[in-house]
Structure formats: structure tokens, C-alpha cells
Amino acid sequence: MRQNKQNAAFALQQVPFFSHLNSEDAAALADRLILRRFNTDQIIFHLGDPGGLLYIITHGKVKISYSNPDGQEALLAILGPGDFFGELSLLDSSPRSATAAAIEPTETYTLDGATFNMFLDNTPGFAHHVLSVLATRVRGLNAQLSDIFFLDLPARLARTLLRLADQHGKTSPNGIQIDISLTQTDLAEMTGGTRVSINKALGRFRRAKWVDVNGRHFTIRDRDALVNLIQISGG
């Protein structure tokens, strides 16, 4: 039990909202965390579901996506250990703004909104820190929007692959391998492109020896070349 509590406190302090907490406050809040497990392809919540829980990933991976009424899907993010999601519902109790699904066996800790808001009221300086974290997230969203407007498809793909390598990369003899399974459709949804345009851009990256493609797995061989492509395109 003591080990579980320590694990929960450690997981909590990996979340930007709680990274500044001292050990005592982290341990007290960790007592309120609940461990939840999800199987591969299991839906964690759907777009429009009631909110109220923050999820902290300790093992596995989760995809966050949005679908419109016509069935078109945008893959917003793929998250792994140390990442968190569902934080907006802690602040405004609105329905979920996206769908979350496990893409492999996944474990999370969850924190309910009532506990979060109680902690917000009773912990001096915590509200200011939360606002700072949210401001950082808004800046990140602004950067993603600017990519859509100002970068061409190859540059957006380069940015996406670099971001995935930063989040999920493992060093290999040939470069940085992105340690998740990705289809060209996934990449199209993440970049606002089509499968055909992604296939064409990946062909260019392979021929230039910037990226290796092995089925659904990608390895960044020349990071500097991808960064240069983004800069030339306007990023």
C-alpha cells in the first residue's frame, strides 16, 4: 500500500498542474487518486460525455481524437506515460471536447473535479500555477494553428514526426525511432492532409534518407534536415 501511494504521488508530480507541490501536499492529494486500467482499443470517454476526471498516464498510450457529424476524424494527440488529459473538465464541468481511447494496455490514475477544486481553494499559489500551465497549453495550440495556416504539408508532416519523436522516441542505430504504431491515415489526421499527400511526402523523406519507414514504424534519421524543411516553409 505504501509503495502504491508513493507511485501515485510520483505520477501526480509529473503533471504540470502539480509539479511544484511539496512532498506533503503531493502525498495528501495522491491519497485521492484512483487507479484505472484500460485494454487495447478501449474507449476511455467519448466526445460529449460528462467530464469531471483528470487522467494521468502511468503505463501505455492513449489517442485523443475529434469526429464531426459526418464521421471525419482528426487525431489530435497520442499520449504516453507522464502525460495527462481531461484537465479542462476539472475547471468548467463541461462535456468532453474529444474522444480518448487506449491504443495499448494502459494504466492511469484519476483525480475527480471536486477534490481538484477543493485543493485549488485551500492551497495558496496553486491557482496562479494552474493559470500558468493553461497559458502554456494555449500557446501550444496557437502554434499548431499557425502550422496549419503557414506550413505546407511536407513541413507539417516533418513537425508532426519531430514532435512524436520527442514524445515517444527511442534511440536506435539508425536514429530516433518513434515507439508507436502509426498508419498513414493517422498522420493525415494529425497534419490536416490526405493519405495520398502523406504517402507522397513520406516518399520524398525516404529518398532523401531523412526518415526510415518500416510498416507502421518510423525512424528519424536526419533531424536537422526536417527542421530545415520547416524553416524554409515558414516555420
Side-chain angles (χ1 to χ4, degrees):
M1 179 68 74
R2 179 180 176 82
Q3 183 64 42
N4 289 340
K5 182 176 179 179
Q6 290 175 338
N7 291 342
F10 177 79
L12 192 69
Q13 289 178 299
Q14 306 312 299
V15 177
F17 276 167
F18 309 106
S19 60
H20 74 305
L21 295 182
N22 59 45
S23 298
E24 183 178 349
D25 285 339
L29 199 55
D31 281 337
R32 307 298 296 270
L33 298 179
I34 296 176
L35 182 64
R36 299 173 189 266
R37 296 183 174 91
F38 303 93
N39 298 320
T40 301
D41 295 329
Q42 183 175 349
I43 298 296
I44 299 171
F45 55 73
H46 286 281
L47 170 71
D49 282 353
L53 290 177
L54 168 74
Y55 294 80
I56 304 168
I57 304 172
T58 58
H59 177 79
K61 293 184 175 66
V62 172
K63 73 172 183 177
I64 309 296
S65 61
Y66 177 86
S67 298
N68 67 16
D70 295 329
Q72 295 176 313
E73 185 176 61
L75 182 53
L76 304 178
I78 297 177
L79 308 176
D83 290 327
F84 66 101
F85 58 98
E87 72 280 4
L88 292 180
S89 70
L90 297 182
L91 300 172
D92 62 6
S93 300
S94 295
R96 298 294 187 186
S97 58
T99 295
I103 58 177
E104 62 184 51
T106 297
E107 291 185 356
T108 69
Y109 284 110
T110 60
L111 178 70
D112 67 272
T115 298
F116 177 84
N117 285 303
M118 180 179 67
F119 195 75
L120 196 66
D121 291 339
N122 297 335
T123 307
F126 183 56
H128 183 271
H129 182 70
V130 167
L131 289 174
S132 177
V133 171
L134 290 176
T136 299
R137 286 223 156 184
V138 170
R139 289 192 185 97
L141 291 173
N142 286 342
Q144 288 181 325
L145 284 174
S146 70
D147 284 354
I148 292 173
F149 284 108
F150 300 117
L151 297 184
D152 59 18
L153 188 280
R156 296 202 305 273
L157 177 59
R159 179 93 80 189
T160 297
L161 291 173
L162 290 174
R163 184 172 65 248
L164 291 170
D166 289 340
Q167 294 175 320
H168 308 291
K170 289 186 176 181
T171 302
S172 74
N174 293 327
I176 304 299
Q177 181 178 348
I178 299 172
D179 190 33
I180 50 177
S181 176
L182 291 165
T183 67
Q184 292 187 17
T185 299
D186 291 334
L187 291 173
E189 292 172 357
M190 297 181 80
T191 58
T194 65
R195 188 182 181 283
V196 172
S197 61
I198 291 295
N199 183 273
K200 181 178 179 180
L202 285 174
R204 173 186 174 187
F205 292 2
R206 286 196 301 266
R207 290 190 298 273
K209 301 187 184 304
W210 297 346
V211 175
D212 280 345
V213 181
N214 184 13
R216 296 186 175 188
H217 296 279
F218 299 80
T219 300
I220 307 299
R221 297 188 60 181
D222 192 338
R223 182 184 183 91
D224 290 344
L226 295 178
V227 170
N228 186 57
L229 177 67
I230 295 167
Q231 293 172 342
I232 292 173
S233 180

